[in-house]
């Protein structure tokens, strides 16, 4: 059993990378981007709930009593207040001298992976209020990392996503993605339980099924989840059209579908479930399901909508200690931010009490939860730039295959390494930046326009190829390939010199994704000049004015091309299996147009994109929905695609390996032969970018439609 240790603030490693010789690790380093992730410095906060003296049976929130519960350094979210009295395991962790104890269970992303943590807050003397106990605290902190019984047969269980934990007695219930789903484009998210005193872990979700957002009933006997059941993920990117299933927490038996459309369940009592779903009128709302629970069966009696049209309400939370009270996140038409509110249903009028808007009106607040005795409401939000560590330009991500390569996230898109491994180019949309791979000197903007892919020339030092113009544009849009040559750093006047820019394409019909050949003679790129996006090859120095060769041809989109280091292959993404259908697979072809073959596809409707060759040309790294979604999108900030993980595959289509596990959008990977020491590099560009991320864009649509309808009726 783990022994308590006094909490020490976690400090990220703000260490410079050291580039090791090729012989140290032949497979090198993979870096990729995650949309907005570098700005998600989440912490968990709480506010006291109190009875109001002004009206009988009403509630109030002490808006001056907000307290940050997590460390102010890590990325912490999806909290849960466990009951100390109901868990012998938690009780065993408490020092005998403690006079007042509070506890918090939550997800924390640190050291490059996601883990469930338990914090205990111990007051050194008897406080007069619970708020005093939190302020006069000694923190004990424990990572509750499950170790499944079949870990030896699976991927490293520590390298996976963990989510939405709850504790029933000594049983920890949570989501993990450590076991692969046997079917492509199906989620790995499944519910597990771990008996904390022994570490015995059991999978509660049936094999081949994905479950999300588990909630345990007050007695601990039942667990409710959101799930597609055997049907699997159909490609949802906004609301997951899941159903609510209930099964026995002990072993997953008695699994029963109780509501055929719903997500994010929570229990008010053993016969009442609340959940959210988007109604036929377009508004996300909270619903109440009354169920009948027998000794071996569960059945639905009724479903009632609790929140009306006119605003969005989702991610409900309840507590046995606060009967008749529901905490929800809302998006009202009067605010561009999501906020936490309490719904008091005890009077029959469903009174709404604001929680976070008066405290932080211009911040998004997520996924509320209520303490067991009903005295606190918790939630998470971005903590801002006032405390904690700086954002990271490069972040070490724990890899399932550390012996093969280091894995890093970059605060930018479309990264690429210079041939000597000393510099990284990436884009910010707009702006193309170059930074030393050890983080020294800070990023330098070398092009201010809208550029999206980057690729360094293999032979001409300091030359970067990119596309200039709108991204995600139609075939005829003005987009051109340009080369940017940086000043020679050995030149005494390099500090004052400007990069030279040369336009390489003359027909500006969406020319993009340039990739140079390793001999430095040619550039492959995609172009829409024929009315379809196909691949072409042109001279690397003079561009298409020196001639152009068409590599692929057909009424489909061939794009995102990458030339192999050995010069033998060009990999690209294509929708040629279903032109215009939005489904992309990865193909390879020889530069002379022969040998075309498909390497990997995530299935009908799937997206497998952005291939990049390994240094030995025998594998590819790519981004894909091969692992589907890992959490309900509504519980996160906005992602254009709430799926996308980084994978590798052999060029023969074998040995597909998943490298990242999260509920965000990972993409645009690149691979260098140089091994960068797995450590974090702090971002030198500080300030306004903190917390500047969006809520789910599609939450605005219904409000705009209603506004338009009112205007028409007038």
């Amino acid at each position: 059993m783990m022994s308590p240790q006094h909490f020490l603030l976690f400090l990220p490693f703000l260490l410079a990378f050291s580039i090791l010789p090729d012989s140290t690790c032949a497979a090198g380093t993979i870096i990729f981007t995650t949309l907005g992730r570098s700005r998600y410095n989440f912490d968990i906060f709480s506010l006291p709930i109190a009875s109001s003296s002004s009206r009988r049976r009403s509630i109030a929130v002490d808006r001056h009593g907000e307290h940050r519960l997590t460390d102010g350094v890590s990325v912490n979210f999806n909290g849960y207040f466990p009951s100390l009295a109901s868990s012998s395991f938690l009780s065993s962790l408490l020092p005998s001298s403690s006079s007042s104890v509070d506890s918090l269970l939550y997800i924390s992303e640190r050291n490059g992976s996601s883990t469930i943590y338990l914090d205990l807050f111990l007051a050194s003397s008897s406080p007069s209020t619970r708020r005093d106990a939190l302020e006069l605290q000694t923190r004990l902190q424990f990572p509750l990392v499950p170790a499944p019984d079949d870990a030896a047969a699976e991927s490293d269980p520590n390298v996976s996503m963990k989510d939405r934990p709850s504790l029933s007695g000594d049983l920890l219930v949570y989501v993990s993605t450590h076991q692969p789903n046997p079917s492509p484009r199906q989620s790995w998210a499944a519910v597990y339980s771990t008996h904390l005193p022994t570490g015995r872990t059991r999978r509660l979700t049936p094999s081949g099924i994905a479950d999300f957002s588990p909630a345990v009933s007050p007695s601990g006997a039942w667990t409710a989840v959101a799930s597609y059941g055997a049907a699997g993920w159909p490609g949802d990117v906004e609301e997951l059209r899941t159903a609510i299933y209930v099964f026995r927490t002990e072993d997953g038996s008695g699994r029963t579908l109780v509501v055929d459309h719903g997500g994010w369940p929570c229990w008010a009592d053993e016969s009442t479930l609340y959940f959210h779903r988007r109604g036929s009128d377009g508004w996300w709302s909270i619903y109440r399901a009354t169920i009948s629970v027998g000794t071996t069966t569960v059945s639905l009696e009724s479903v009632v909508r609790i929140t009306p049209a006119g605003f969005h309400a989702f991610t409900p939370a309840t507590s046995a200690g606060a009967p008749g009270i529901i905490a929800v996140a809302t998006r009202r038409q009067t605010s561009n931010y999501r906020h936490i509110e309490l719904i008091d249903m005890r009077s029959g009028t469903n009174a709404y009490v604001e929680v976070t808007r008066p405290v932080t009106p211009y911040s998004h607040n997520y996924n509320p939860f209520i303490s067991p005795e009903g005295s606190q409401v918790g939630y998470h939000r971005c903590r801002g730039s006032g405390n904690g560590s700086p954002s990271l330009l490069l972040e070490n991500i724990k890899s399932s295959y550390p012996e093969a390569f280091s894995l890093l996230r970059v605060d930018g898109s479309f990264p690429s390494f210079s041939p000597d491994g000393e510099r990284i180019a990436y884009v910010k949309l707009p702006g193309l930046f170059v930074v030393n791979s050890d983080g020294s000197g800070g990023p330098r903007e070398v092009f201010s326009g809208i550029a999206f892919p980057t690729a360094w020339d293999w032979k001409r030092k300091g030359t970067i190829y990119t596309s200039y113009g709108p991204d995600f544009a139609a075939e005829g849009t003005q987009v051109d390939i340009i080369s940017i040559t940086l000043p020679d750093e050995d030149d005494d006047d390099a500090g004052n010199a400007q990069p030279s820019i040369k336009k390489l394409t003359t027909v500006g019909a969406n020319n993009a994704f340039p990739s140079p050949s390793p001999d430095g003679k040619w550039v492959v790129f995609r172009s829409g000049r024929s009315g379809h996006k196909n691949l072409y090859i042109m001279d690397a120095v003079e561009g298409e004015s020196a001639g152009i060769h068409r590599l692929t041809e057909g009424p489909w989109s061939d794009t995102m091309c990458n030339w192999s280091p050995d010069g033998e292959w060009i990999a690209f993404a294509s929708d040629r299996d279903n032109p215009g259908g939005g489904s992309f697979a990865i193909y390879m072809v020889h530069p002379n147009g022969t040998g075309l073959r498909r390497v990997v596809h995530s299935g009908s409707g799937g997206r497998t994109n952005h291939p990049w060759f390994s240094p030995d040309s025998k594998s590819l790294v790519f981004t894909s929905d091969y692992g589907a979604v890992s959490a309900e999108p509504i519980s996160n900030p906005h992602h254009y695609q709430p799926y996308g993980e980084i994978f590798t595959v052999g060029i023969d289509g074998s040995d597909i390996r998943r490298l990242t596990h999260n509920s965000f959008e990972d993409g645009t990977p690149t691979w260098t032969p140089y091994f960068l020491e797995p450590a974090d590099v702090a971002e030198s560009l500080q300030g306004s970018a903190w917390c500047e991320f969006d809520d789910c864009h599609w939450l605005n649509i219904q409000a705009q439609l209603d506004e338009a309808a009112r205007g028409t009726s007038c």
Side-chain angles (χ1 to χ4, degrees):
M1 181 180 295
M2 65 182 71
S3 59
Q5 296 179 0
H6 287 290
F7 171 72
L8 296 176
L9 284 179
F10 166 74
L11 295 176
F13 296 104
L14 302 179
L15 302 177
F17 287 141
S18 59
I19 301 180
L20 303 182
D22 247 357
S23 59
T24 301
C25 184
T29 300
I30 292 173
I31 64 173
F32 65 96
T33 188
T34 302
L35 178 65
R37 171 60 181 76
S38 62
R39 307 306 172 192
Y40 300 169
N41 53 345
F42 288 141
D43 266 318
I44 295 175
F45 296 79
S46 71
L47 276 165
I49 304 172
S51 298
S52 173
S53 58
S54 59
R55 288 186 298 163
R56 188 167 177 262
R57 293 182 63 82
S58 62
I59 56 173
V61 174
D62 179 5
R63 292 162 185 156
H64 301 290
E66 186 181 64
H67 189 81
R68 193 189 75 226
L69 301 182
T70 45
D71 59 17
V73 178
S74 311
V75 178
N76 308 300
F77 54 96
N78 286 2
Y80 176 85
F81 288 122
S83 172
L84 292 175
S86 65
S87 173
S88 61
F89 175 78
L90 295 189
S91 300
S92 70
L93 300 176
L94 302 178
S96 58
S97 59
S98 61
S99 57
S100 179
V101 182
D102 287 293
S103 58
L104 176 70
L105 200 64
Y106 59 101
I107 305 302
S108 186
E109 291 184 4
R110 57 182 79 182
N111 295 324
S113 62
S114 170
T115 308
I116 300 171
Y117 269 79
L118 170 69
D119 284 10
L120 300 176
F121 307 97
L122 314 178
S124 56
S125 60
S126 298
S128 58
T129 66
R130 190 176 191 276
R131 179 183 175 188
D132 291 338
L134 290 171
E135 291 179 345
L136 302 173
Q137 65 190 18
T138 297
R139 184 196 304 260
L140 307 183
Q141 188 172 84
F142 310 92
L144 303 180
V145 180
D149 295 337
D150 57 350
E154 302 291 348
S155 299
D156 182 350
N158 297 325
V159 183
S160 65
M161 190 193 84
K162 315 288 196 307
D163 200 17
R164 210 186 176 195
S166 59
L167 193 65
S168 177
D170 291 338
L171 208 60
L172 178 69
V173 178
Y174 55 95
V175 170
S176 177
T177 57
H178 75 271
Q179 289 184 338
N181 192 311
S183 301
R185 204 168 178 250
Q186 295 305 320
S187 178
W188 295 20
V191 174
Y192 297 81
S193 68
T194 294
H195 185 243
L196 293 177
T198 63
R200 185 177 64 85
T201 295
R202 180 195 297 267
R203 178 175 173 133
L204 303 180
T205 301
S207 177
I209 303 296
D211 285 343
F212 309 93
S213 311
V216 181
S217 68
S219 72
W222 299 94
T223 293
V225 297
S227 179
Y228 288 109
W233 180 60
D236 298 334
V237 298
E238 295 181 4
E239 180 191 14
L240 300 189
R241 293 278 299 188
T242 51
I244 305 295
Y245 287 77
V246 171
F247 51 76
R248 289 197 170 277
T249 307
E250 179 184 19
D251 57 7
S253 64
R255 185 180 177 97
T256 305
L257 189 157
V258 294
V259 177
D260 62 7
H261 178 198
W264 204 268
C266 64
W267 298 82
D269 52 52
E270 294 298 305
S271 61
T272 307
L273 278 168
Y274 289 93
F275 61 93
H276 65 212
R277 71 182 179 206
R278 186 158 56 180
S280 58
D281 54 14
W283 294 101
W284 284 77
S285 298
I286 307 301
Y287 294 78
R288 179 179 64 229
T290 302
I291 61 177
S292 175
V293 179
T295 55
T296 59
T297 60
V298 177
S299 60
L300 177 67
E301 293 186 352
S302 64
V303 173
V304 178
R305 184 173 182 172
I306 301 300
T307 58
F311 67 96
H312 295 298
F314 35 81
T315 59
T318 54
S319 170
I325 307 299
I326 309 172
V328 298
T330 64
R331 271 294 302 275
R332 292 187 177 268
Q333 296 185 63
T334 54
S335 175
N336 291 325
Y337 297 87
R338 73 167 67 184
H339 283 294
I340 308 304
E341 300 185 37
L342 299 177
I343 307 174
D344 187 353
M345 300 192 301
R346 295 173 300 178
S347 63
T349 59
N350 288 11
Y352 291 83
V353 179
E354 292 185 322
V355 175
T356 58
R357 192 192 62 81
V359 180
T360 55
Y362 306 114
S363 297
H364 294 296
N365 296 267
Y366 295 86
N367 305 353
F369 55 103
I370 304 176
S371 61
E373 75 284 1
S375 64
Q376 294 280 315
V377 57
Y379 45 90
H380 67 265
R381 71 161 184 270
C382 186
R383 62 177 167 262
S385 59
N387 49 42
S389 63
S391 62
L392 298 175
L393 172 66
L394 294 166
E395 180 182 4
N396 168 48
I397 303 299
K398 188 172 182 180
S399 171
S400 300
Y401 311 97
E403 75 287 350
F405 43 73
S406 57
L407 183 64
L408 302 164
R409 174 187 287 131
V410 64
D411 183 20
S413 297
F414 297 101
S416 64
F417 281 90
S418 60
D420 59 11
E422 293 184 355
R423 290 183 287 183
I424 303 171
Y426 63 94
V427 301
K428 284 286 193 178
L429 298 172
L432 190 153
F433 295 80
V434 172
V435 66
N436 295 333
S437 55
D438 65 358
S440 62
R444 304 177 298 282
E445 186 178 62
V446 299
F447 182 70
S448 61
I450 299 176
F452 43 108
T454 69
W456 295 76
D457 191 278
W458 296 78
K459 300 297 184 181
R460 282 172 289 281
K461 184 178 179 180
T463 295
I464 305 168
Y465 299 95
T466 189
S467 309
Y468 171 47
D471 55 354
F472 297 107
E475 284 78 359
T477 306
Q478 183 76 30
V479 182
D480 279 298
I481 306 295
I482 60 174
S483 64
I484 302 172
T485 301
L486 308 180
D488 188 343
E489 293 183 333
D490 296 330
D491 192 324
D492 292 338
D493 296 325
N496 299 319
Q498 297 297 313
S500 64
I501 299 173
K502 184 174 184 178
K503 182 182 171 192
L504 299 180
T505 51
T506 57
V507 178
N510 208 333
N511 305 291
F513 294 99
S515 180
S517 61
D519 62 8
K521 295 180 179 180
W522 313 103
V523 169
V524 63
F525 65 103
R526 79 107 196 270
S527 179
R529 62 188 63 209
S530 70
H532 302 288
K533 294 176 181 176
N534 293 148
L535 301 185
Y536 296 79
I537 295 176
M538 65 179 173
D539 186 90
V541 177
E542 299 302 325
E544 69 173 287
S545 63
I548 190 169
H549 166 68
R550 186 167 186 166
L551 181 61
T552 66
E553 183 173 0
W556 47 67
S557 290
D558 296 333
T559 185
M560 305 174 191
C561 41
N562 181 250
W563 210 310
S564 66
D566 64 7
E568 290 297 313
W569 292 100
I570 292 169
F572 60 97
S574 178
D575 70 347
R576 58 179 59 208
D577 295 311
N578 181 22
S583 179
F584 281 81
I586 290 176
Y587 281 79
M588 293 200 323
V589 66
H590 289 303
N592 63 5
T594 64
L596 177 71
R597 59 187 173 87
R598 192 172 77 180
V599 180
V600 62
H601 189 26
S602 65
S604 177
R607 295 192 176 189
T608 304
N609 291 322
H610 297 290
W612 196 286
F613 278 97
S614 62
D616 63 5
S617 301
K618 295 180 180 179
S619 300
L620 291 162
V621 63
F622 61 96
T623 182
S624 180
D625 62 357
Y626 201 89
V629 292
S630 296
E632 295 191 51
I634 192 67
S635 67
N636 282 332
H638 178 68
H639 289 265
Y640 292 98
Q641 300 170 161
Y643 54 81
E645 304 287 346
I646 306 301
F647 294 81
T648 60
V649 64
I651 61 172
D652 61 357
S654 65
D655 195 22
I656 297 177
R657 299 184 177 191
R658 179 173 177 172
L659 304 187
T660 61
H661 294 255
N662 58 59
S663 58
F664 312 132
E665 180 186 343
D666 295 334
T668 64
T670 187
W671 204 335
T672 178
Y674 294 92
F675 181 75
L676 303 187
E677 198 66 36
D680 295 342
V681 171
E683 173 73 83
S684 62
L685 301 177
Q686 296 294 310
S688 61
W690 276 108
C691 300
E692 288 189 358
F693 51 83
D694 294 325
D695 199 9
C696 300
H697 289 181
W698 30 270
L699 290 175
N700 300 325
I701 296 175
Q702 187 59 39
Q704 294 166 356
L705 292 175
D706 269 32
E707 184 87 18
R710 285 196 297 272
T712 302
S713 64
C714 293

